[in-house]
Amino acid sequence: MNNKEFITRLAKKCNISAADAGTNVDALVGLMTECLKENDQINVSGFGILEVKMRNERLSVNPKTGQRFLVPPKIVPAFKPSNKLKDKFK
Amino acid sequence: MDAKLNQSDLISLLAKENSISVAKAELFTKNFFDLIIEGLEQDGIVKINGFGTFKITDVASRGSVNVNTGEKIEIKGHRKLTFLPADALKDNVNQPFAMFEPVEVDETYQPDAANDVEADDIVDVAADENIEPVEEKLQNVANEPMTVEEVAEEGVGNAVETVETVEVVETVDDIAAPEEDNAVSAEAPVEGTAAEVCREETDAEAALPEEEKTVAEPLAVAVQERPTEPVMVHIPKKKSAEEKQTTPRGKRKGVWSIVPLLIIALAVVFILVNRMEKDNAIVADSNDANIVNTPASVSGSSTGSKAPEFVAGTAKSDSDVTLPVAVEEKTVAEEKSVGIDNIENTITANVAADEPQVPGEYVFVMVDELASSSLKSITLADTLLYIADGELAQHTVAHDETLTKIAKQYFGDKKLWPYIVKYNNISKPDDLCRGMLISIPRLMPRR
């Protein structure tokens, strides 16, 4: 299911226009991004937890050339599905 | 800021953001997450622009171990829900560390290894300094018999008459002197003396190899103990230049290869001189010949019961000639070794005292001292083969001209220069000045 399909189905579900659904999706995504940016944890019951995690710097080796790189630390978004969801797809 | 938002917070924020009613926002948000689950059930993948992709992936079965009991268990293959954040989300989240980029690690820089390499280099350099001079010296020592033989050959070639043995004994000092003279070197002896030199060499030939050994060993030791201070450093440049000028043919390979060789040659000759002088002294006093034959350095050990001081004392009483030379040798050498570095142990000092080659100035001093005695030999030579008969020409000494060159020019034989000295009564043949007016004698064969 791609983005366009997702929006049309969401619009049908909510009885709103696809354009409105689109803006709402963008707004919600922007909202969640802002929250994650500020290290907030978004806990959606029945779905899972969206949060950010810190990855430390590390050395990685290019197996072809043997070059070694120092990869800088970074912050990554992570999703942790709820147990209910996990069990559903297991 | 590290807050925990739940769905209701999200709904209120969305309502505020989009200016819609909370009910609509709540409906929308619930439908949003429900639809993701639906989509996953339907396609196994849901893609939301600017946010990311929810995806169901297969996990292969794998073996594992129960931590508590230690027994092997198998985790069966299953599916799991994964979230791949979109680039926009990743970048937004990672803004605090956005300025970092992966850096390639410089493999070549290893602090310990770098130090080791430097140390190795230093050691190598030091080793080279150690080895080179020693090898050079060894080579020179190996070449030494050649030079001696050359001198001997020359003597044989020029020798015409045999000279009385008594005369040999008397003139030993004088013969050795021209050899010492740096301007003369191998070409010095005129025919008569050449014969004597030949005789002397043959007399000394048996002893020479031993001497060379003794010379070579202390030299090697000295060089090893002072690797940063090659022997060549002590040689006065002026002298080396003069030697270069008058070096016999075929030896102009390079100043630095010739100079040590010449020093060794001079030193060997000097040892001979020393020995012969002692010979003279003790023959004059009619003492034991055994003590006489040992050079100053060896005398202590060879005489056994006699202490070195005692030998020196006897030498003092025996002859005036021997004493100054021997004493000067030791004092100069000792001053040299002490002055250069005090750290040197007594062995080095002894070696230096026994080894006349190390101090360059010492050889120089000796040459000056014996310069006068060289005249005697010239006088002697004059009486043998040629007689000065009138004046052949007047010659004004030009720049860079030597007596040997002049002799070569007028007589065709550079070995005949002592006749010029004798004829003009030049007191110091070495100090020939430019512009000096000298008379060239006409030489007639004696018979």
Side-chain angles (χ1 to χ4, degrees), chain A residues 9 13 24 41 70 88, chain B residues 5 18 38 41-42 103:
Chain A
R9 280 184 68 170
K13 241 185 172 181
N24 281 347
Q41 191 183 50
L70 181 66
K88 196 172 185 173
Chain B
L5 301 173
N18 266 8
E38 267 180 43
E41 282 176 339
Q42 187 186 328
V103 181

Side-chain angles (χ1 to χ4, degrees), chain B residues 2 51 76 240 409:
Chain B
D2 296 336
F51 190 65
K76 288 183 179 174
S240 70
Q409 181 186 336

Side-chain angles (χ1 to χ4, degrees), chain A residues 1-7 9-10 13-14 16 20-29 31-47 50 52-55 59 66-79 81 85-86 88-90, chain B residues 1-7 9-10 13-14 17-18 20 24 27-29 31-43 45-51 54 56 78-83 85-86 88-90 92-97 100-107:
Chain A
M1 186 184 280
N2 59 22
N3 191 56
K4 194 177 176 183
E5 202 178 338
F6 181 77
I7 288 171
R9 280 184 68 170
L10 191 62
K13 241 185 172 181
C14 299
I16 52 173
D20 283 348
T23 54
N24 281 347
V25 167
D26 288 347
L28 189 60
V29 167
L31 204 65
M32 288 193 286
T33 304
E34 284 298 317
C35 293
L36 292 175
K37 246 169 109 172
E38 296 183 4
N39 288 352
D40 289 347
Q41 191 183 50
I42 302 165
N43 195 342
V44 182
S45 58
F47 181 72
L50 281 162
V52 292
K53 284 184 175 173
M54 171 91 174
R55 299 264 184 257
L59 280 172
Q67 288 171 308
R68 307 208 303 162
F69 289 95
L70 181 66
V71 180
K74 60 183 173 183
I75 301 168
V76 294
F79 172 65
L85 205 58
K86 265 204 260 184
K88 196 172 185 173
F89 293 115
K90 201 166 185 176
Chain B
M1 318 283 170
D2 296 336
K4 287 190 175 180
L5 301 173
N6 54 22
Q7 201 170 357
D9 297 330
L10 212 58
L13 282 171
L14 179 66
E17 178 93 5
N18 266 8
I20 52 174
K24 276 189 179 177
L27 180 70
F28 176 81
T29 307
N31 282 334
F32 180 85
F33 291 112
D34 286 346
L35 189 60
I36 291 172
I37 297 169
E38 267 180 43
L40 287 173
E41 282 176 339
Q42 187 186 328
D43 298 337
I45 183 170
V46 174
K47 203 170 180 178
I48 301 168
N49 278 2
F51 190 65
F54 292 93
I56 293 171
H78 59 94
R79 302 190 299 170
K80 79 173 182 186
L81 175 58
T82 57
F83 174 64
L89 180 62
K90 277 203 282 191
N92 272 322
V93 169
N94 196 35
Q95 259 179 6
F97 294 150
F100 292 133
E101 293 212 343
V103 181
E104 186 177 350
V105 179
D106 188 5
E107 296 285 342

